[in-house]
Amino acid sequence: CSPIPRSSKPTSARTTRTRSRITKAKALGNRRKAKDFRRSTHPPMTDPKPTASSLLPSADRLPPSTDALLRVTDLHAFYGESHILHGIDLQVNRGELITLLGRNGSGRSTTVKAIMGLVEATGSVRWRGQELVGKPPFEVAHLGLGYVPENRDIFPGLTVQQNLLLGQKRPSKGSSQRHGWSLADMYAMFPLLKERMHTEAGVLSGGEQQMLTLCRTLMGNPDLILIDEPTEGLAPQIVAQVGQYLQAL
């Protein structure tokens, strides 16, 4: 038999070692890929840094509001045989400005009148936890609610200052008003009224009468003011002025 060439053994060994290295490299590469895959799909459990939003309670965990001054539940109101309001629900919190919107005849004025006890009503109207349904309007007013009627209801034969003095009363028990509104406060808010202080209210313009009615209500030191149609019949510039004062209040 012919002898085995000398070069065949080293060549075979080198080939075996090279294949072994390639196999090990592939195995190592596969392990690294598998490790990287596990890292990408299963990130390490580390505590993320808290953010401002994460420190705030979510909406479903917020406690119920404790600032509710007025809470109306299932309020129905009637004018004789006519059923006007059909289950009104609303809530007014401290510092809020709430607006009722709707067509003529939708019951906005009736809602305000029902809260003040001016129309027959059923349901629940709670002011600082005290039930108002069934109370006469003067008792509701003495509890700290102020009412600015749609038709203003000024005394036309009395002067501006006399109308303001008629609305004056002490702050109600439990009121947040430590010091009541004064004539000086009203005249500072509406300088035009100061100019008309000795003028009969019946000769004032519609805008001036609206200012007078609002100020007369403030003289009663209410904690909540219910204003019915505050801008009806007013000039656009007066409407903007009334809006600014309502936001300031």
Side-chain angles (χ1 to χ4, degrees):
C1 62
S2 60
I4 300 174
R6 298 177 108 188
S7 59
S8 63
K9 288 185 178 180
T11 301
S12 177
R14 285 198 300 271
T15 303
T16 302
R17 286 195 297 270
T18 301
R19 290 176 179 173
S20 177
R21 289 172 185 169
I22 293 174
T23 303
K24 291 181 179 179
K26 287 183 177 179
L28 180 60
N30 290 336
R31 285 197 297 269
R32 287 178 177 174
K33 289 181 179 179
K35 190 174 183 180
D36 293 340
F37 176 77
R38 286 194 298 270
R39 286 179 178 176
S40 63
T41 56
H42 301 284
M45 299 297 292
T46 57
D47 295 332
K49 293 182 179 180
T51 61
S53 59
S54 66
L55 295 177
L56 295 174
S58 61
D60 57 347
R61 290 180 294 171
L62 288 175
S65 175
T66 57
D67 294 333
L69 290 177
L70 180 70
R71 190 187 302 273
V72 178
T73 307
D74 194 28
L75 181 64
H76 296 253
F78 307 84
Y79 290 113
E81 298 294 330
S82 300
H83 191 175
I84 306 301
L85 298 183
H86 298 261
I88 300 296
D89 297 312
L90 66 88
Q91 177 176 304
V92 181
N93 297 325
R94 190 180 304 276
E96 282 188 333
L97 181 63
I98 305 296
T99 303
L100 296 181
L101 303 177
R103 302 181 301 177
N104 290 338
S106 60
R108 295 166 299 169
S109 298
T110 304
T111 300
V112 176
K113 291 179 180 179
I115 293 173
M116 292 299 301
L118 294 170
V119 297
E120 180 186 356
T122 62
S124 176
V125 177
R126 302 193 69 84
W127 167 251
R128 291 191 173 123
Q130 184 174 354
E131 184 60 55
L132 299 184
V133 173
K135 291 184 179 297
F138 73 90
E139 288 189 13
V140 175
H142 280 293
L143 290 174
L145 279 79
Y147 173 53
V148 180
E150 178 182 3
N151 54 2
R152 299 171 186 137
D153 286 343
I154 61 171
F155 293 91
L158 300 181
T159 65
V160 167
Q161 183 159 312
Q162 289 171 336
N163 271 273
L164 292 177
L165 291 175
L166 283 175
Q168 193 174 34
K169 68 181 180 67
R170 296 179 181 179
S172 61
K173 185 178 180 180
S175 171
S176 60
Q177 302 282 352
R178 296 183 179 180
H179 304 286
W181 294 92
S182 65
L183 286 173
D185 296 327
M186 301 300 101
Y187 292 149
M189 185 180 301
F190 294 104
L192 191 59
L193 291 182
K194 185 176 182 179
E195 299 176 8
R196 306 281 198 273
M197 58 188 301
H198 298 303
T199 303
E200 289 187 356
V203 301
L204 299 179
S205 66
E208 293 169 345
Q209 290 182 0
Q210 183 65 51
M211 297 177 193
L212 175 59
T213 308
L214 176 61
C215 290
R216 183 185 61 187
T217 303
L218 289 176
M219 291 291 287
N221 300 297
D223 287 322
L224 178 65
I225 306 177
L226 306 177
I227 307 177
D228 192 5
E229 298 285 359
T231 60
E232 183 179 13
L234 302 184
Q237 57 183 358
I238 302 299
V239 170
Q241 184 179 3
V242 170
Q244 292 174 358
Y245 284 120
L246 291 180
Q247 290 182 347
L249 290 174

